[in-house]
Amino acid sequence: MAPDLPPQYRALVLDSIGAGFTVKTLPTPQPTFGSAVVQIVAAGALSYHREIYNGQRHYPLPTPMVGGYSAIGRIAALGPDATALQAGQLVFVDCVIRGRDDPSALYLLGISEGHSDGSKKLAREVWHDGTLAEFVKVPLDNCIPLDEARLCQTLGYSIEDLMYMGYLLVPYGGLRDIRVEPGDTVVVCPATGGFGGAGVLVAVAMGARVIAMGRNEQELERLQEHVHKGTPWACVETVKITGDEAIDTASLKAYGPVDAILDFTPPVAAKSTHLKSAVAALRYEGRVSLMGFVDFSVSDMKIVGSNITLKGKLMYSREDMLQFVKMLEMGLLPKGKDLVDTRTFRLDEWEEAFDAAAQWTGVGRAVAFLP
Ligand SMILES: NC(=O)c1ccc[n+]([C@@H]2O[C@H](COP(=O)([O-])OP(=O)(O)OC[C@H]3O[C@@H](n4cnc5c(N)ncnc54)[C@H](OP(=O)(O)O)[C@@H]3O)[C@@H](O)[C@H]2O)c1
């Protein structure tokens, strides 16, 4: 047994989908080759976590299991092949697990075991339990070092606020994937949700001008205020989604040609026409990152005639994470409390936490567990 680890730890266990969680005491995982055991300081909760665990979203999960997704924690113990990570170091614990011999065997720890034989094998037999716990065992590659002094002292982030990285990294993966450059005009749609709102902050930090689309004008106004408070130089326009494709297209075109689109349409909005309007406003050779779930016809003449690139994207790469941490540590995103207002809960408050996560959504809002 690793000397610094207690023999047992507390964790939120889901015995089966829909059964609800129980706080249980389990044997603490031990470090092995290729792994780290991390002491969790703050674990994130998603707006739709409740729907995953009650079965509404039909995400496949290997139960019984410890829930969660990404987290912020300190390295508690390391496998013998660790070369750079140090005990006590603050890290972002990433929930995206990939097969080392097949990166397409990919799944999201605590969210879905994925759909390939390889991902299911890893989720069921190797990296099984999530971060809603005092400790988690993850691959070494999933621990992204954070400069604690720079982030927490100089830039004023609390550790729970750093958990907002779980939101920010996802749009960064999409925006980087379609090579968004400083000066580009980027439509984020819809922008009033958790990932869409984070997408606006990240696109601004990457030097883009943003057109944020959404149904809710009050929330669009809050989004603009939030972004301007933390990054006063930001150029953020808003366009209301009216449900009339032609009107929305005209509203977007009023801002000139669009270089790129970041789409986060949730499944309930799959029939909404906002993406069609955004594509109609794209310039020749414009790019689209499809990160949501939208019904969209690729036989559209605009796509072919204007050489449009449509790229599906799930999450981000390890390289994206390392690059994003450099941006955050550089101070390119809103600093301290201007970034995010995080509501925190203990493990035994899991019902309240998931309810809060479903309500406390949009830019600059997050919910975290402090185990
Ligand atoms: N590809 C990836 O790696 C990845 C990663 C994470 C999440 N996602 C996907 O991204 C989606 C969005 O996540 P989120 O956390 O941002 O969700 P969220 O916080 O629940 O936000 C949902 C957004 O969709 C809008 N919306 C809902 N119904 C709509 C409709 N009928 N027409 C137009 N807009 C509508 C909401 O607008 P209102 O404010 O008007 O309600 C809000 O902007 C998720 O469903 C998830 O599947 C993908």
Side-chain angles (χ1 to χ4, degrees):
M1 182 173 306
D4 297 333
L5 292 177
Q8 295 182 316
Y9 77 123
R10 288 169 69 249
L12 262 188
V13 177
L14 184 71
D15 281 318
S16 61
I17 299 286
F21 282 93
T22 318
V23 180
K24 290 191 179 171
T25 301
L26 304 172
T28 309
Q30 298 299 309
T32 47
F33 278 101
S35 76
V37 177
V38 180
Q39 183 163 20
I40 302 298
V41 183
L46 293 167
S47 65
Y48 50 93
H49 244 143
R50 195 175 56 180
E51 295 165 28
I52 297 174
Y53 296 137
N54 68 17
Q56 233 174 302
R57 277 229 174 190
H58 303 292
Y59 283 16
L61 278 171
T63 53
M65 57 168 277
V66 177
Y69 86 115
S70 297
I72 303 285
R74 287 184 198 289
I75 299 286
L78 288 161
D81 52 338
T83 54
L85 292 165
Q86 301 290 329
Q89 185 170 18
L90 195 70
V91 291
F92 175 76
V93 179
D94 180 35
C95 70
V96 185
I97 311 263
R98 295 177 176 82
R100 289 197 170 130
D101 51 353
D102 176 11
S104 74
L106 176 153
Y107 70 101
L108 308 181
L109 187 68
I111 297 180
S112 162
E113 66 176 5
H115 299 280
S116 73
D117 290 344
S119 70
K120 287 179 192 164
K121 176 188 161 173
L122 291 176
R124 291 174 192 184
E125 299 170 23
V126 190
W127 314 105
H128 177 79
D129 286 325
T131 55
L132 294 180
E134 291 171 321
F135 292 92
V136 68
K137 179 176 173 177
V138 286
L140 287 173
D141 332 37
N142 287 53
C143 297
I144 304 300
L146 300 173
D147 183 340
E148 188 172 356
R150 171 83 186 150
L151 290 168
C152 298
Q153 286 155 34
T154 313
L155 296 172
Y157 299 119
S158 66
I159 290 185
E160 62 252 33
D161 288 345
L162 288 176
M163 195 48 244
Y164 195 47
M165 279 178 65
Y167 271 99
L168 297 166
L169 281 167
V170 176
Y172 185 62
L175 291 166
R176 199 161 181 244
D177 198 44
I178 54 168
R179 302 177 325 281
V180 164
E181 310 252 11
D184 276 352
T185 294
V186 178
V187 169
V188 177
C189 59
T192 52
F195 287 101
V200 175
L201 288 172
V202 173
V204 165
M206 292 170 81
R209 170 199 192 214
V210 176
I211 306 176
M213 292 185 84
R215 298 182 298 181
N216 180 337
E217 283 173 300
Q218 242 180 324
E219 187 57 17
L220 285 175
E221 215 172 288
R222 190 184 73 81
L223 168 74
Q224 235 173 357
E225 275 169 23
H226 182 88
V227 179
H228 281 139
K229 190 166 177 224
T231 42
W233 61 87
C235 191
V236 178
E237 319 289 357
T238 61
V239 163
K240 182 176 162 60
I241 299 173
T242 63
D244 181 318
E245 193 180 329
I247 291 179
D248 296 351
T249 302
S251 306
L252 289 166
K253 282 187 169 173
Y255 292 110
V258 169
D259 297 291
I261 301 170
L262 177 65
D263 182 74
F264 270 114
T265 304
V268 291
K271 302 269 179 230
S272 174
T273 55
H274 57 262
L275 183 59
K276 281 188 185 157
S277 298
V279 168
L282 268 180
R283 70 162 165 83
Y284 182 72
E285 300 205 323
R287 299 96 70 200
V288 186
S289 179
L290 296 168
M291 300 199 84
F293 299 91
V294 69
D295 281 352
F296 189 73
S297 165
V298 286
S299 61
D300 192 313
M301 190 52 212
K302 167 82 185 190
I303 309 274
V304 177
S306 295
N307 284 7
I308 301 299
T309 300
L310 296 177
K311 277 194 97 177
K313 182 71 179 172
L314 183 67
M315 305 300 272
Y316 38 75
S317 65
R318 179 174 159 83
E319 198 196 324
D320 291 336
M321 287 190 283
L322 296 172
Q323 193 65 30
F324 179 80
V325 169
K326 285 195 221 169
M327 285 173 56
L328 188 66
E329 290 176 353
M330 184 87 73
L332 294 180
L333 282 113
K335 300 182 188 65
K337 285 291 164 200
D338 287 343
L339 179 66
V340 62
D341 181 0
T342 309
R343 299 198 168 163
T344 59
F345 295 85
R346 296 191 314 267
L347 289 182
D348 57 1
E349 296 171 320
W350 60 271
E351 272 181 295
E352 294 98 305
F354 290 135
D355 287 348
Q359 299 293 325
W360 187 240
T361 57
V363 70
R365 291 176 173 169
V367 168
F369 285 87
L370 304 182

